[in-house]
Amino acid sequence: QVQLVESGGGLVQAGGSLRLSCAASGGIFSINAMGWYRQAPGQQRELVATITSSGSTNYADSVKGRFTISRDNAKNTVYLQMNSLKPEDTAVYYCNIVVSTSRYFSNGYWGQGTQVTVSS
């Protein structure tokens, strides 16, 4: 049973930094793409950043130059370094990891979500 555990959210002042982590465990054959999404109150969940198994990254325009996604394949973990945070970054952040549990089956799994609040 694949499980994702997120950590690192919290309350920070505008201009500050936070680092989110998301670790996958249980029944993993291989890890494919990894990503971060966020959902603000009353808004739809939106993509923040993704990273492929080869390390290619993609960012939402709103976070380019401020956020950095990275991964540690040995630890099955994805990170999101968030710098120069703005109040509009306030949201629940979710990781999504595409996990292969066998050579023939893969699925996307979601973390439990972690709250990031940026005060002005």
Side-chain angles (χ1 to χ4, degrees), residues 3-60:
Q3 290 187 326
L4 272 56
V5 177
E6 297 184 31
S7 61
L11 173 64
V12 65
Q13 288 188 332
S17 298
L18 284 173
R19 189 192 195 208
L20 306 183
S21 301
C22 175
S25 63
I28 297 171
F29 178 76
S30 65
I31 299 282
N32 305 310
M34 310 172 98
W36 289 95
Y37 295 74
R38 66 187 181 186
Q39 188 167 17
Q43 304 294 320
Q44 289 190 337
R45 192 172 297 188
E46 64 176 4
L47 181 146
V48 176
T50 60
I51 184 167
T52 68
S53 57
S54 61
S56 296
T57 58
N58 181 55
Y59 296 92

Side-chain angles (χ1 to χ4, degrees), residues 19-22 34-36 49-52 55-59 67-73 76-81 97:
R19 189 192 195 208
L20 306 183
S21 301
C22 175
M34 310 172 98
W36 289 95
T50 60
I51 184 167
T52 68
S56 296
T57 58
N58 181 55
Y59 296 92
F67 291 11
T68 302
I69 189 171
S70 61
R71 60 190 287 166
D72 185 333
N73 292 327
N76 294 331
T77 299
V78 61
Y79 304 96
L80 186 68
Q81 177 66 44
I97 300 179

Side-chain angles (χ1 to χ4, degrees), residues 45 92 108 115:
R45 192 172 297 188
V92 178
Q115 177 70 46

